[in-house]
Amino acid sequence: MKRSVLNRYRVMAYVTGVLLILLTIGCVAKYLLDVNGATAFVTVVGIAHGWLYVLYLVLAFDLGSKAKMPFGKLLWMLLAGTIPTAAFFVERRITRELEPLFAEAPELAKA
């Protein structure tokens, strides 16, 4: 497995996580605080998060299948993009678990 597979997943995990936090803040502003302009913000961020979450799913599934992860771990990784802040914690854990694979086989990481 190439390191780039992990790096792509990590980038999308952060992007998805940040957009989901922004969407959550926007929803609080729109529905609880009745802030002007929050409706447009929620619309734009919601659409961006939705499309980028699909890309996140593809990249997470790609990483999980190449790393031969068990189904439960793969499912948790896929769902992490729907729970605010979960993507950050799951990404960190997955990275810690997979980093030793690249250290043990540097020729695979470069291939």
Side-chain angles (χ1 to χ4, degrees):
M1 176 174 59
K2 294 181 182 179
R3 183 176 289 276
S4 63
V5 174
L6 178 62
N7 289 340
R8 286 190 304 250
Y9 162 73
R10 292 183 71 193
V11 167
M12 284 312 300
Y14 280 107
V15 169
T16 302
V18 168
L19 285 174
L20 189 56
I21 289 172
L22 290 175
L23 184 59
T24 303
I25 292 169
C27 285
V28 167
K30 178 181 176 182
Y31 295 110
L32 295 179
L33 304 176
D34 199 28
V35 174
N36 277 343
T39 302
F41 180 80
V42 168
T43 301
V44 170
V45 174
I47 291 171
H49 172 70
W51 282 105
L52 291 173
Y53 177 67
V54 172
L55 181 60
Y56 168 81
L57 288 175
V58 170
L59 295 176
F61 185 79
D62 183 44
L63 174 66
S65 62
K66 288 181 179 174
K68 296 178 177 48
M69 289 183 180
F71 180 73
K73 187 180 289 188
L74 178 62
L75 185 62
W76 178 236
M77 194 167 71
L78 295 173
L79 290 175
T82 63
I83 303 167
T85 70
F88 303 116
F89 296 107
V90 171
E91 178 275 328
R92 190 71 236 147
R93 184 172 180 177
I94 296 296
T95 300
R96 263 189 260 134
E97 289 176 7
L98 294 180
E99 277 295 324
L101 296 177
F102 297 112
E104 292 171 5
E107 67 280 354
L108 293 177
K110 293 178 184 175

